Amino acid sequence: MRLGGRLAAAIDILHDIETRHRPAAEAMRDWGLNHRFAGAGDRAAIGNIVYDGLRRRSAAGWLFDADTPRALAFGGYMLENGMAPEAVNQALAEDRFAPPPLDEAELRALAARLGTPLPEAARANIPEWCRPVAVRAFGAAWVEECAALAARPPLDMRANSLKASREKVLAALARAGAAASAIASRGMRIPPVAGDGRHPHVQAEPAFHKGWFEVQDEGSQIVSELAGAEPGFQVLDFCAGAGGKTLAMAAMMENRGQVHAHDADRQRLAPIFDRLKRAGCRNVQVLADEAALAPLEGRMDLVVVDAPCTGSGTWRRRPDAKWRLTPQQLEARQGEQTAILDAASRYVRPGGRLVYITCSFFEEENADQAHAFLARNPAFRACDHQAIWQERFPDHPQAVHIRREAGIMLTPASAGTDGFYFAAFERR
Ligand SMILES: C[S@@+](CC[C@H](N)C(=O)[O-])C[C@H]1O[C@@H](n2cnc3c(N)ncnc32)[C@H](O)[C@@H]1O
């Protein structure tokens, strides 16, 4: 396929996402099923156009003065690849699969706007209602922070120390272009793709099937390390989901002690069984029923609440979620977070730790929740987050937003990771 066919496909998919309110991944998958002739390279290039358009929706809309699938596809492509309108039209010439080339009105709008600085809202690429939320979280840096959330993400992995050292995994993944991550102690990174490219399918590697590594964002690895699980600990992972953090903590514990992995949703928990087997974790018990947690009350050294949240920190990877999010959903997540924190806190032993994690940058889900939890639960006090960070990552004092009593926030702009929040409380 040439550029024209790819742009046309991306416009169709974006139209499907908009009109049927579907997740981008689902719309992409359906398009693939209906266009089996398209090769892996074409699919990846089309996916890049769709996702770039969604990531930079405000900027593309501003350039074209229109919020249409066509504006998103053309605008996202031009912005990401630094391509001039004339060059785009040239590439579309004599391509019978191409959408109509840029017309006079579009060329005029582009001529007026390209070359002038993007307005703040267009650079930030967030829904209008999120602007005060972002300003509250980041202050004067809100545009830069949000712009970083609209960039392409890297592919991050974690070497599983139960089976292989990071050096060994890096050697096995040499062809994939992976290098050691900047902060996480067992992290490995393949940089964001450029142009029409795609990340290698690392899950097809023998090293993956042997359990030597997991795919996990570096931010998720870092908060797992900060949680501080040690060999011999009794740990409850209260919102374990598919087990990303359970696996990381089990490895840190060197298979000694016990991780009790719970989630209210059995479906979400289901993949954990295969993952534990592959990773060689022998100290994890999966407990789907909350009733089965009763014997753990007041006995855990560490309880981790990786709470359901808006996922605003993952907008690089799921840019469609950014535009679907509503204030009502934020409110619903806050209610869940409050209830889950209170429910999970009863399992912490005196002197033990409760860790609260979100993949969001919203203060409403982060520091506000931490403060409110402490106000409701005088048996807990905030840990010193500066000290926790310094102990784990002394070589990276600048990498994160740390407020001594109100937690640690990682962002793409500060740490090069997805957005994550971490807070720890100690039971008196
Ligand atoms: C952010 S995800 C967890 C991701 C997982 N820890 C990982 O690292 O892969 C949040 C999880 O909380 C679970 N959850 C929602 N409400 C819950 C509740 N009341 N009790 C326990 N888990 C809950 C959801 O099913 C979801 O799997």
Side-chain angles (χ1 to χ4, degrees):
M1 278 168 106
R2 293 167 54 191
L3 175 61
R6 291 171 171 179
L7 276 170
I11 291 169
D12 282 350
I13 295 164
L14 285 163
H15 186 260
D16 190 26
I17 294 168
E18 293 291 299
T19 52
R20 294 172 64 196
H21 307 288
R22 319 179 63 200
E26 222 175 80
M28 284 289 307
R29 197 169 50 241
D30 275 7
W31 185 92
L33 289 173
N34 292 326
H35 298 81
R36 289 181 187 276
F37 64 85
D42 286 323
R43 285 163 202 252
I46 292 163
N48 288 349
I49 299 174
V50 168
Y51 279 81
D52 288 337
L54 290 168
R55 286 189 192 101
R56 301 187 184 223
R57 177 182 201 141
S58 309
W62 178 78
L63 272 186
F64 278 81
D65 203 11
D67 184 30
T68 58
R70 177 177 164 88
L72 299 200
F74 274 81
Y77 186 81
M78 291 167 63
L79 286 164
E80 185 63 41
N81 296 284
M83 202 161 173
E86 300 70 29
V88 174
N89 271 357
Q90 257 169 29
L92 302 191
E94 291 166 33
D95 180 351
R96 67 192 176 90
F97 298 108
L102 297 167
D103 63 25
E104 282 305 317
E106 287 172 327
L107 287 169
R108 255 198 318 277
L110 286 167
R113 296 190 164 184
L114 277 171
T116 61
L118 285 176
E120 281 187 336
R123 268 200 302 142
N125 282 299
I126 58 171
E128 198 47 45
W129 74 267
C130 289
R131 183 199 283 233
V133 180
V135 170
R136 185 167 172 232
F138 299 124
W142 75 276
V143 176
E144 299 321 317
E145 290 279 357
C146 292
L149 275 159
R152 290 182 178 183
L155 173 60
D156 288 341
M157 294 157 290
R158 177 181 56 79
N160 174 18
S161 53
L162 296 175
K163 293 219 167 167
S165 67
R166 175 158 70 175
E167 291 64 39
K168 185 168 169 178
V169 184
L170 284 172
L173 292 176
R175 270 185 320 135
S181 305
I183 305 174
S185 63
R186 298 190 171 85
M188 299 165 295
R189 171 165 289 185
I190 301 175
V193 295
D196 294 339
R198 64 191 149 123
H199 278 132
H201 183 36
V202 291
Q203 278 113 324
E205 294 287 332
F208 179 76
H209 292 282
K210 285 189 271 186
W212 291 7
F213 71 90
E214 289 290 329
V215 172
Q216 185 179 21
D217 178 77
E218 192 185 2
S220 173
Q221 297 178 46
I222 292 170
V223 293
S224 303
E225 288 194 51
L226 290 173
E230 290 177 20
F233 264 28
Q234 289 292 317
V235 177
L236 170 59
D237 188 354
F238 194 75
C239 301
K245 297 182 188 65
T246 305
L247 290 164
M249 291 191 291
M252 285 174 68
M253 292 163 68
E254 300 165 9
N255 264 337
R256 288 187 279 146
Q258 191 78 225
V259 184
H260 308 271
H262 167 70
D263 197 285
D265 184 338
R266 282 165 192 273
Q267 299 264 48
R268 288 200 183 231
L269 205 48
I272 204 173
F273 295 99
D274 280 347
R275 294 182 79 188
L276 289 170
K277 225 181 280 168
R278 194 176 52 237
C281 297
R282 294 189 307 276
N283 64 332
V284 178
Q285 288 211 28
V286 182
L287 302 168
D289 291 321
E290 199 168 342
L293 303 181
L296 310 182
E297 256 181 58
R299 301 183 56 181
M300 296 295 101
D301 299 301
L302 171 65
V303 173
V304 174
V305 171
D306 185 16
C309 69
T310 57
S312 60
T314 66
W315 281 347
R316 296 184 305 175
R317 300 179 195 280
R318 297 169 56 240
D320 48 332
K322 164 161 82 173
W323 305 106
R324 274 200 307 272
L325 185 64
T326 63
Q328 292 71 27
Q329 286 168 342
L330 167 59
E331 211 179 306
R333 294 297 86 77
Q334 287 172 275
E336 291 163 9
Q337 290 154 2
T338 302
I340 293 172
L341 264 173
D342 286 347
S345 64
R346 78 171 74 108
Y347 300 100
V348 184
R349 70 163 169 79
R353 235 178 221 191
L354 174 65
V355 159
Y356 176 65
I357 296 169
T358 71
C359 55
S360 170
F361 68 85
F362 292 180
E363 290 284 279
E364 290 76 357
E365 300 183 272
N366 296 344
D368 287 1
Q369 287 290 4
H371 290 310
F373 172 77
L374 289 170
R376 286 193 308 277
N377 294 278
F380 285 84
R381 62 179 175 79
C383 295
D384 181 341
H385 295 97
Q386 184 70 49
I388 291 177
W389 181 266
Q390 178 62 24
E391 190 189 329
R392 286 276 157 194
F393 302 111
D395 299 336
H396 302 280
Q398 306 297 338
V400 284
H401 305 272
I402 305 179
R403 276 151 309 161
R404 196 173 285 278
E405 300 235 317
I408 296 173
M409 185 162 58
L410 304 157
T411 61
S414 63
T417 63
D418 280 354
F420 273 94
Y421 175 76
F422 170 96
F425 317 104
E426 193 175 281
R427 181 164 215 145
R428 296 178 205 274

